Amino acid sequence: MTPLLDFFSDPILRPSTLGCMLMCFASALVGVVVFLRKRSLIGETLSHASFPGVVIGVFVSALLMPFSDELISLAILCGAFLFAFLGLKTLSFLENKARVKADSALCFVLASFFGLGILIASRLQQTYPLWYKQALSFLYGQAATMTNMHILLYGCFSLVILGFILYFYRYLEAVNFDPSFSETLGIQSKRLDEIMFFLIVLAIVIGIRSVGVVLMAGMLIGPAVTARPLTNRLSYHFALAGAFGVASGFLGNYLSVVIPNEDYSLPTGPMILMVSSLFCFLSLLLAPRSGLITRFLRMRQFSFRCSLENALKSLWKGERKVFSPLILWKLKQHKWIDPQGTLTPLGKATAENIIRLHRLWEVYLVDYMGQKVEKVHRTAEELEHLLSPELEKELTELLHNPRHDPHHQPIPPANLEAP
Amino acid sequence: MNPYWGKDFFEFFAVLFRRLTGQLPLDQLTTDEVQMVVLMGVALSTVLLGTFLTLKKMTMMANSLSHTTLLGIVIAYLIFFAPENDLMIGPGMLLVGAVVSAALTTLLTELARDLLKLQEDAAIGLVFTTLFALGIILVTVFTRNSHLGVEVITGNVDALHFEDIKLVWSAAALNLILIGLFFRQWVLTAFDEKLSFSLGLPTKTFHYLLMFLTALTLIAAFRAVGVILVLSFLVGPTLIARQWTHRLSSLLFLGIGLGLFTAVIGVALSRHFLSVYHLPLSTGGLVVTLISILCILSLTFRHSQGLMRD
């Protein structure tokens, strides 16, 4: 087991660790923009479209200067950038000029460019097997062979992305959250899309080294989706997505180094993506406001409160009913009943308040909504759990503090002590 | 001895013609012919499905499937205890793999969208990348062979068997039968899902069936030609044919014709490059490039004629 700190100090492990973190940070930031514009799948197409550029980059640089590792990486970056950009242009031509539907255009550009890449790579296979392997390593990402030079290069690119986002932050905010306002300011969403496409291409170019061409789309989407349920503010969304990106970059790389033994090796890209997807899954389930489990728990909590209040009501009415131990325990917890099971003054006040809400609502339905008297009980039975003290006050004023409900039952007076 | 050995593009067709007219023994198919027959089967299936996928604006779901079939295949391998390091696929594995990948992809994408309240594009992207990553990790762990992941994408024509013909053409037959039998229903669900639903058609079933058939075709073809070629076949011919016709029947015939044409030409070109320039090029890659070139030509031609729709 390699100690965690070694990943930042060891001269062999450090470049790949930092590299993965930087790349995932950059793609996470760009991912937020893409996610908010609802164009997540464009990353998938453009990352595949960059593949022929990678292959040509390997080919050309290896032919011209076979021993310079730095120049090869630079050539790969340029090639990838060029072809991703070309893919983008083809995409917009197909969509706007040739009137091809968006999904067909995406799929077609993806398959065509990637097929071209594979064709060129197959040319390398027999004559230059070493370069062929190097080109193919970009399919699933290869972090292990990174050097300090790469860190510098990718660090600069990440800074460029960060700078762009900071510079255009107001833009992004305006266009995403108030399109008509931004139009009156003269900001066009088209302009934003151009910036976004540029950022995507940049993020892809630096990301394919660690995550790989095939899974790049996932890294653009994952952190943005993870952060979304946790915040409603754009700045926090960026910050959180960046943090999740960095974390998945580190953990994925860490796991792909620590887990394998001599029998097999784990590719870095898929591991990073699995970590990022795990974060995503957890966030979608457990987010405080909108997580699936939290939503479910809130629903259960509410229905429990309803049955608790119903139990209290039947106690107040003196009905003889058997309550579940959980309800009884909770009633005692609230000090609504004493240990012998009789209502305390507090319990009585609370119960009267619920009855009051119920009957007030019945009056309102009959007097103001013209409902039939025999029909209002059921609705009131549900709404008594929902009416807030403010609404009660409004109702009291509106109905001139009535004494009796439509069924000629007395309405308990407003009780200031009740919760 | 392969009679196509050392032949260039035109000689290739001369040999093919002689063999077809029976002047040369047909008892044993050569690799070139196996390739051709397999590719034609793939073209037939994919253009059939691709037309409906395009009409239903679901081609990116096909892209999802092209990634997740890897996981389906891995699971099928684990179920059937197939030997490691061997990519032979029997009919049973084909069906299991297709069902697993189609079900996982569609259901998880729908769950993410409806239950986890994720926007559609993000749901699609998240599900298939995750499943694909899982597939890659499982493949490397179980087969101890990290090269398989590459082969899934590029295909490996050298490893073609006579079995592949059976596999690909049985998938094609199944596609033909299922689409032919319910042709009117398919057309209706593709063009107007709401109307077909209100007429009482099981539109959901057709949706899942389409996903299943796509996964089936992808798996049947992946060993021979790789998933990317299938994707290109799914959208390319339909996209080209769409510029020339507005009728569904001619769209289908034109698309299938284009698919078969590029399949044959692709194999011949691949042989040509090998014979004349001694370049072993990926046949799949060649066919994809051919389709793209045809598409560019067709677009430029239609553009210059000014016949593009406004």
Side-chain angles (χ1 to χ4, degrees):
Chain A
M1 209 60 177
T2 327
L4 213 60
L5 265 182
D6 273 10
F7 280 82
F8 294 101
S9 57
D10 187 88
I12 298 170
L13 288 175
R14 192 183 55 203
S16 58
T17 310
L18 290 180
C20 287
M21 289 164 71
L22 273 176
M23 290 164 187
C24 295
F25 177 68
S27 56
L29 288 186
V30 177
V32 174
V33 185
V34 186
F35 176 78
L36 292 175
R37 302 288 300 163
K38 297 197 175 20
R39 292 303 299 266
S40 295
L41 288 176
I42 209 163
E44 162 80 357
T45 296
L46 293 186
S47 64
H48 282 72
S50 71
F51 186 59
V54 171
V55 183
I56 291 177
V58 171
F59 194 37
V60 169
S61 59
L63 265 185
L64 298 180
M65 46 235 157
F67 302 110
S68 163
D69 205 33
E70 282 80 7
L71 281 172
I72 292 183
S73 346
L74 205 63
I76 291 172
L77 281 180
C78 293
F81 189 87
L82 204 69
F83 270 84
F85 192 68
L86 209 61
L88 188 64
K89 285 287 150 208
T90 320
L91 198 62
S92 68
F93 171 78
L94 283 178
E95 270 182 43
N96 301 328
K97 292 274 164 53
R99 302 276 164 156
V100 177
K101 293 276 180 297
D103 68 306
S104 294
L106 281 173
C107 199
F108 183 70
V109 171
L110 184 158
S112 299
F113 277 70
F114 203 57
L116 184 67
I118 289 190
L119 182 69
I120 303 172
S122 72
R123 164 72 184 81
L124 289 175
Q125 188 167 15
Q126 208 162 45
T127 24
Y128 313 99
L130 211 70
W131 302 344
Y132 175 70
K133 267 189 92 169
Q134 191 175 2
L136 285 194
S137 73
F138 276 83
L139 283 180
Y140 299 121
Q142 198 181 41
T145 52
M146 275 194 269
T147 60
N148 284 331
M149 197 272 311
H150 290 112
I151 304 300
L152 204 66
L153 205 59
Y154 295 137
C156 290
F157 273 116
S158 308
L159 277 181
V160 170
I161 289 180
L162 189 64
F164 254 95
I165 286 176
L166 286 178
Y167 186 74
F168 288 107
Y169 183 77
R170 291 275 154 219
Y171 243 47
L172 292 168
E173 215 172 20
V175 174
N176 276 316
F177 299 108
D178 204 340
S180 42
F181 171 67
S182 68
E183 235 161 76
T184 60
L185 287 183
I187 305 173
Q188 286 150 351
S189 58
K190 220 178 133 190
R191 178 81 189 281
L192 179 77
D193 279 339
E194 275 165 18
I195 300 168
M196 176 182 81
F197 289 141
F198 174 71
L199 288 179
I200 297 175
V201 171
L202 214 56
I204 285 170
V205 166
I206 61 178
I208 50 177
R209 175 77 200 212
S210 66
V211 187
V213 166
V214 186
L215 290 172
M216 192 55 218
M219 264 333 277
L220 278 171
I221 304 170
V225 173
T226 315
R228 183 64 193 88
L230 301 176
T231 175
N232 271 335
R233 296 183 54 148
L234 185 63
S235 51
Y236 293 167
H237 194 178
F238 274 117
L240 280 173
F244 279 117
V246 168
S248 31
F250 174 73
L251 273 178
N253 182 55
Y254 175 76
L255 291 176
S256 75
V257 171
V258 172
I259 294 177
N261 49 30
E262 53 277 359
D263 278 344
Y264 59 91
S265 63
L266 282 178
T268 324
M271 284 311 284
I272 293 180
L273 198 96
M274 285 309 286
V275 174
S276 144
S277 298
L278 187 71
F279 282 147
C280 230
F281 188 61
L282 288 179
S283 158
L284 288 172
L285 285 186
L286 299 173
R289 275 176 301 108
S290 54
L292 184 67
I293 293 180
T294 20
R295 267 188 286 150
F296 177 74
L297 285 181
R298 236 187 353 247
M299 266 159 58
R300 291 305 301 258
Q301 209 181 359
F302 177 68
S303 71
F304 182 71
R305 211 188 78 208
C306 289
S307 25
L308 198 68
E309 290 181 355
N310 287 340
L312 188 66
K313 262 186 354 190
S314 17
L315 277 175
W316 182 81
K317 286 178 187 162
E319 293 165 8
R320 301 199 62 85
K321 271 190 184 168
V322 182
F323 300 115
S324 77
L326 185 65
I327 297 258
L328 280 176
W329 177 77
K330 199 71 197 171
L331 283 172
K332 281 174 199 160
Q333 276 277 302
H334 279 299
K335 298 217 165 54
W336 287 344
I337 57 174
D338 57 20
Q340 285 77 46
T342 45
L343 274 179
T344 60
L346 180 66
K348 191 161 170 286
T350 314
E352 276 170 2
N353 193 46
I354 300 167
I355 299 282
R356 177 179 164 78
L357 290 177
H358 179 108
R359 293 182 178 166
L360 272 179
W361 187 251
E362 286 183 338
V363 175
Y364 174 73
L365 279 182
V366 171
D367 288 4
Y368 279 81
M369 307 297 266
Q371 299 266 314
K372 294 227 173 74
V373 177
E374 59 273 18
K375 278 191 176 172
V376 293
H377 176 73
R378 188 187 286 250
T379 334
E381 193 71 1
E382 284 176 5
L383 244 92
E384 66 190 20
H385 307 292
L386 285 172
L387 290 175
S388 62
E390 292 81 26
L391 266 171
E392 183 205 337
K393 225 176 124 195
E394 293 277 324
L395 276 176
T396 312
E397 273 172 31
L398 183 73
L399 306 169
H400 309 297
N401 199 11
R403 292 302 162 95
H404 293 279
D405 74 357
H407 310 288
H408 310 294
Q409 302 273 7
I411 296 178
N415 191 340
L416 293 175
E417 281 164 38
Chain B
M1 182 60 198
N2 191 338
Y4 296 100
W5 187 254
K7 299 279 185 275
D8 71 13
F9 186 72
F10 297 104
E11 289 165 355
F12 178 91
F13 285 106
V15 176
L16 179 66
F17 183 72
R18 257 182 294 157
R19 278 176 70 88
L20 282 181
T21 48
Q23 287 164 22
L24 280 170
L26 252 181
D27 50 345
Q28 270 193 327
L29 286 176
T30 62
T31 41
D32 292 63
E33 283 157 356
V34 173
Q35 256 186 52
M36 212 154 34
V37 177
V38 166
L39 277 176
M40 285 164 86
V42 176
L44 181 64
S45 302
T46 45
V47 177
L48 256 182
L49 297 172
T51 308
F52 289 103
L53 285 169
T54 311
L55 287 174
K56 290 176 79 131
K57 302 192 186 74
M58 269 170 51
T59 49
M60 276 320 257
M61 277 308 275
N63 173 54
S64 294
L65 276 181
S66 76
H67 291 79
T68 52
T69 42
L70 179 66
L71 187 63
I73 293 166
V74 174
I75 291 175
Y77 264 87
L78 293 180
I79 291 175
F80 283 83
F81 294 109
E84 290 169 358
N85 283 319
D86 181 19
L87 275 176
M88 274 318 288
I89 291 180
M93 288 180 60
L94 176 69
L95 285 177
V96 171
V99 169
V100 168
S101 34
L104 272 181
T105 318
T106 35
L107 293 182
L108 285 182
T109 308
E110 274 170 23
L111 273 186
R113 192 188 59 202
D114 301 336
L115 202 61
L116 296 178
K117 312 275 178 209
L118 206 53
Q119 65 198 41
E120 175 134 30
D121 59 326
I124 294 177
L126 198 65
V127 167
F128 83 76
T129 45
T130 310
L131 291 181
F132 186 69
L134 192 63
I136 287 283
I137 289 172
L138 285 180
V139 162
T140 32
V141 170
F142 282 110
T143 65
R144 317 254 151 106
N145 176 357
S146 51
H147 194 65
L148 284 186
V150 174
E151 223 163 76
V152 170
I153 290 175
T154 59
N156 187 356
V157 195
D158 299 332
L160 270 181
H161 278 274
F162 191 70
E163 291 295 312
D164 286 306
I165 295 187
K166 283 195 216 154
L167 208 61
V168 165
W169 277 94
S170 31
L174 190 65
N175 286 329
L176 266 179
I177 292 170
L178 281 177
I179 290 182
L181 272 182
F182 304 104
F183 188 73
R184 300 182 72 87
Q185 286 88 334
W186 280 110
V187 175
L188 195 57
T189 49
F191 276 111
D192 197 335
E193 200 153 347
K194 288 195 181 102
L195 175 67
S196 58
F197 183 74
S198 64
L199 288 177
L201 281 180
T203 44
K204 270 273 171 203
T205 316
F206 276 101
H207 176 83
Y208 293 132
L209 192 60
L210 188 58
M211 294 305 277
F212 165 74
L213 288 177
T214 311
L216 189 82
T217 310
L218 277 161
I219 294 180
F222 100 99
R223 205 176 71 93
V225 290
V227 290
I228 291 303
L229 174 64
V230 181
L231 271 190
S232 174
F233 263 147
L234 275 174
V235 276
T238 315
L239 206 151
I240 299 172
R242 189 71 189 79
Q243 291 154 26
W244 298 88
T245 176
H246 294 294
R247 294 186 53 84
L248 183 66
S249 54
S250 34
L251 189 68
L252 274 172
F253 282 116
L254 198 57
I256 290 173
L258 271 170
L260 296 179
F261 173 73
T262 44
V264 176
I265 297 287
V267 175
L269 269 182
S270 161
R271 170 57 70 188
H272 178 78
F273 278 109
L274 186 61
S275 307
V276 181
Y277 309 108
H278 305 287
L279 287 178
L281 293 181
S282 143
T283 312
L286 261 177
V287 176
V288 175
T289 314
L290 207 58
I291 295 176
S292 318
I293 291 173
L294 279 181
C295 186
I296 294 170
L297 286 181
S298 153
L299 275 172
T300 1
F301 187 65
R302 290 305 261 182
H303 230 55
S304 65
Q305 279 189 323
L307 287 175
M308 299 294 294
R309 288 167 303 140
D310 278 318

